[in-house]
Amino acid sequence: MNKHIGEIIDLPKILDPRGNLTVTEQMANVPFHIRRVYWVYDVPSGEYRGGHAHKQCKEFIIAVSGSFNVTLTDGNTTETFLLNHPYQGLLVDVNVWRTLEDFSSGAVCLVLASELFEEEDYIREYDDFLNYLACLKS
């Protein structure tokens, strides 16, 4: 059986002829307390975001507009998720490397984070990430 390192979570979608609405709540749809919210937009064609892992911070990534791919790896398993529905989010746990790419024109990526920004929480070099994981296993 394959180990999954990311999880798509469907959020409530309230249909209304005036426009649909989706809501998310910490510790309900998002399985952690939300301490920080940020969004990424106007990503030029061919560019990527992410390219790091977190030691303590969990994230819930939503394509609120447009689409993009999120590739996750734990050093052994790699999975790519297409995010293109504003009523779905991708849960990313700690110790998982993430790269966001292939942004469509006008795409907006919303991220709900379990922790405040702390540079010490980031692992920004892939080789350092693999070494960090090896240290956790020993």
Side-chain angles (χ1 to χ4, degrees):
M1 180 177 205
N2 289 341
K3 174 186 168 192
H4 292 286
I5 53 176
E7 177 185 0
I8 295 285
I9 297 174
D10 288 323
L11 301 170
K13 181 178 178 183
I14 301 160
L15 301 176
D16 189 303
R18 301 168 298 162
N20 300 333
L21 178 124
T22 292
V23 64
T24 187
E25 297 174 342
Q26 64 184 4
M27 302 308 295
N29 320 95
V30 177
F32 55 76
H33 290 282
I34 299 166
R35 301 209 47 216
R36 181 169 53 117
V37 176
Y38 63 93
W39 47 100
V40 177
Y41 54 95
D42 293 341
V43 178
S45 178
E47 291 295 327
Y48 72 94
R49 298 295 308 217
H52 63 267
H54 290 284
K55 299 173 190 173
Q56 301 296 322
C57 185
K58 296 178 183 180
E59 293 184 332
F60 192 72
I61 303 172
I62 304 166
V64 294
S65 181
S67 65
F68 51 89
N69 287 319
V70 181
T71 300
L72 304 178
T73 185
D74 64 0
N76 294 311
T77 303
T78 299
E79 291 184 279
T80 298
F81 298 86
L82 171 63
L83 297 185
N84 62 352
H85 299 295
Y87 54 86
Q88 291 182 326
L90 175 62
L91 180 62
V92 182
D93 208 345
V94 299
N95 304 327
V96 173
W97 188 269
R98 82 277 331 268
T99 304
L100 291 70
E101 55 197 344
D102 299 326
F103 285 81
S104 68
S105 178
V108 178
C109 169
L110 177 69
V111 181
L112 311 177
S114 67
E115 305 298 325
L116 299 176
F117 175 83
E118 289 189 32
E119 184 60 38
E120 299 78 29
D121 182 54
Y122 283 75
I123 305 171
R124 296 193 183 271
E125 298 295 330
Y126 191 72
D127 287 341
D128 293 343
F129 169 67
L130 295 177
N131 289 335
Y132 177 78
L133 293 178
C135 289
L136 290 178
K137 292 177 184 176
S138 59

